[in-house]
Amino acid sequence: MADEDRNLIEILANSPIDFNKYIGYVSSPKCGAIATFAGTTRDTFDGKEVLELQYEAYVPMAVRCLKSLCSSARSSWDIHSIAVAHCLGTVPVGETSVFVAISSVHRADALDACKFLIDELKASVPIWKKEVYTNGEVWKENKEFIERMPDLGKASHDQGGACSGKKKVEAHERKSCCGTKVKVNDESADSCR
């Protein structure tokens, strides 16, 4: 089966994430590791009580960007299967809004690729989050996006904006996700526009 056939990418409208579905998808007797990440709505942010999160997306581009990120992860780590799910609409406190599952023969590849995928998803995929508080609401930018955009006045294509192309991943000394930083450079050859 081709690598792209072992990717499951879903953008779910007002539907809860079924962890078992995605873990089952990536499970294989060939693999000794499954790494997962579940992003959930917490009840406070900066001292404000959070009621819920609301997500919107440009779905066709989000799916293209996620496919590109999966391809980038596969080019850097020995991965068997990838599953990524993100909710749209309202996500109440305690519920999961994003889930990533990755399987590999060895844990280091799955852990590093999982961290890469969630970080890149938050930095570059066109999915937007509104935090709804007891005393108001605000559209939020992820810190990963802000770190990539030091001068928000410049056009996104100048700064490697949302899905500007296939990501090149350079792992310093190829240690585990907990031991080294991952450096991401954009390559201008591919684009999901």
Side-chain angles (χ1 to χ4, degrees):
M1 187 176 284
D3 282 349
E4 64 191 36
D5 294 338
R6 294 302 311 160
N7 295 339
L8 176 60
I9 298 168
E10 294 186 332
I11 307 293
L12 309 168
N14 294 309
S15 186
I17 293 176
D18 179 358
F19 296 171
N20 291 329
K21 172 183 176 179
Y22 302 106
I23 292 171
Y25 179 82
V26 301
S27 293
S28 169
K30 298 176 185 178
C31 298
I34 296 175
T36 63
F37 174 83
T40 59
T41 303
R42 60 182 178 263
D43 63 359
T44 57
F45 182 78
D46 281 347
K48 294 180 264 186
E49 185 179 348
V50 175
L51 297 175
E52 65 190 21
L53 299 179
Q54 296 175 3
Y55 289 92
E56 294 183 12
Y58 176 33
V59 175
M61 183 177 275
V63 170
R64 283 194 306 272
C65 289
L66 287 167
K67 285 180 180 178
S68 177
L69 292 176
C70 289
S71 176
S72 294
R74 286 183 179 286
S75 70
S76 297
W77 295 282
D78 186 14
I79 297 169
H80 182 268
S81 299
I82 301 172
V84 181
H86 203 299
C87 290
L88 298 182
T90 300
V91 182
V93 169
E95 296 294 318
T96 300
S97 56
V98 61
F99 188 74
V100 176
I102 299 178
S103 61
S104 63
V105 174
H106 302 289
R107 72 178 177 269
D109 287 325
L111 289 168
D112 290 346
C114 189
K115 181 180 183 331
F116 166 79
L117 270 175
I118 191 60
D119 287 349
E120 289 303 310
L121 182 156
K122 292 176 66 102
S124 64
V125 176
I127 298 174
W128 303 282
K129 173 176 71 175
K130 182 194 292 185
E131 288 187 355
V132 180
Y133 309 110
T134 54
N135 62 348
E137 57 189 35
V138 64
W139 286 100
K140 298 290 290 205
E141 295 160 330
N142 290 313
K143 73 178 181 84
E144 293 84 358
F145 172 80
I146 293 170
E147 288 169 357
R148 295 263 179 92
M149 305 301 251
D151 180 3
L152 292 176
K154 288 189 175 183
S156 65
H157 66 279
D158 292 339
Q159 296 287 325
C163 200
S164 62
K166 188 172 180 177
K167 304 290 182 193
K168 180 180 178 187
V169 180
E170 297 174 16
H172 301 282
E173 300 179 22
R174 295 284 298 184
K175 292 183 181 176
S176 72
C177 68
C178 301
T180 61
K181 299 283 184 186
V182 174
K183 181 180 177 185
V184 178
N185 295 321
D186 288 335
E187 293 179 357
S188 59
D190 295 339
S191 176
C192 31
R193 293 178 221 196

